[in-house]
């Protein structure tokens, strides 16, 4: 049964053993998505809420705004993604001589847990008209990675330095845009 404090303790112990060990803990937690929701609370707003942050481990509660997308980016550390409500459509990209190109996709629904390798480049779409909730566990400090991280413009696929403030704004803007379109104040 998911317990926030125990989950953090278990991930802290397991992170040195790599993504497979984290995945095992996640798979157990995500076998009961209702329990995760009640422990973490119904989402009020889209955004990135850290549950735990240290040099070698970051645990984030992601709430994706309805129909929002996030441009291609890398992490420079492994991550394990679990969905406890809604859906995340991931597009995976690979580097080309001058830019990147789409190389694959994976759609994740409630209860799904997947590992993203250290060098993965992905973009994320919440394809549904409600918030999608996920926990992402990173094998490093997500907010201050040791190796510089990149993002790619969604339209031109031009690479630029990753900007966490920009990313946080995108979540807020997407929520405002969706609410305005649906005339929710
Ligand atoms: Fe990501």
């Amino acid at each position: 049964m998911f317990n926030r404090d125990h989950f953090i303790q278990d991930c802290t112990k397991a992170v040195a053993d790599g993504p497979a060990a984290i995945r095992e803990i996640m798979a157990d937690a995500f076998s009961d998505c209702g329990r995760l929701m009640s422990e973490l609370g119904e989402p009020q707003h889209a955004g990135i809420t850290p549950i735990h942050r240290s040099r070698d481990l970051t645990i984030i509660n992601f709430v994706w705004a309805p129909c929002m997308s996030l441009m291609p980016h890398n992490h420079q550390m492994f991550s394990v993604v679990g969905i406890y409500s809604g859906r995340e459509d991931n597009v995976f990209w690979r580097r080309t001589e001058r830019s990147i190109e789409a190389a694959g996709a994976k759609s994740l629904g409630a209860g799904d847990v997947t590992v993203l390798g250290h060098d993965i480049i992905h973009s994320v779409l919440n394809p549904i008209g409600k918030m999608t909730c996920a926990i992402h566990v990173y094998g490093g400090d997500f907010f201050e990675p040791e190796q510089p991280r990149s993002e790619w413009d969604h339209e031109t696929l031009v690479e630029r330095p990753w900007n966490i403030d920009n990313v946080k704004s995108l979540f807020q803007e997407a929520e405002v845009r969706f609410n305005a379109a649906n005339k929710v104040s």
Side-chain angles (χ1 to χ4, degrees):
M1 181 184 284
F2 179 78
N3 170 278
R4 180 188 161 121
D5 293 337
H6 292 166
F7 182 76
I8 294 168
Q9 287 166 14
D10 290 347
C11 288
T12 301
K13 280 186 216 152
V15 69
D17 295 329
I22 297 288
R23 191 188 186 289
E24 205 169 308
I25 295 165
M26 297 272 281
D28 188 43
F30 283 78
S31 64
D32 185 351
C33 294
R35 171 72 193 170
L36 272 156
M37 184 65 87
S38 64
E39 182 79 0
L40 296 170
E42 292 280 338
Q44 301 301 313
H45 294 287
I48 302 171
T49 306
I51 292 173
H52 173 82
R53 181 184 173 190
S54 64
R55 226 181 112 262
D56 62 352
L57 174 71
T58 309
I59 304 174
I60 297 177
N61 188 25
F62 271 77
V63 177
W64 299 96
C67 305
M68 81 169 280
S69 62
L70 184 63
M71 80 293 277
H73 60 277
N74 60 12
H75 300 138
Q76 307 286 40
M77 58 188 66
F78 79 75
S79 64
V80 186
V81 173
I83 313 298
Y84 62 95
S85 177
R87 182 157 294 279
E88 256 193 31
D89 285 348
N90 282 258
V91 175
F92 300 108
W93 303 79
R94 62 175 161 238
R95 286 184 181 276
T96 60
E97 206 171 310
R98 306 183 66 164
S99 181
I100 54 172
E101 64 183 10
K106 194 165 197 177
S107 184
L108 304 171
D112 288 338
V113 174
T114 200
V115 172
L116 306 185
H118 180 284
D119 298 323
I120 207 94
I121 301 169
H122 75 150
S123 54
V124 181
L125 168 70
N126 174 10
I128 59 175
K130 64 176 189 176
M131 294 190 195
T132 284
C133 303
I135 290 181
H136 294 198
V137 177
Y138 298 88
D141 185 346
F142 175 82
F143 296 96
E144 289 185 30
E146 287 179 8
Q147 299 165 265
R149 190 178 287 165
S150 291
E151 61 185 35
W152 285 260
D153 182 272
H154 229 152
E155 183 177 7
T156 65
L157 300 181
V158 171
E159 186 173 2
R160 63 194 179 208
W162 178 76
N163 182 323
I164 182 62
D165 293 326
N166 181 33
V167 170
K168 286 178 179 171
S169 304
L170 288 173
F171 280 77
Q172 293 167 355
E173 289 164 13
E175 183 176 335
V176 168
R177 194 165 53 242
F178 182 82
N179 287 345
N182 288 276
K183 296 185 172 56
V184 175
S185 57

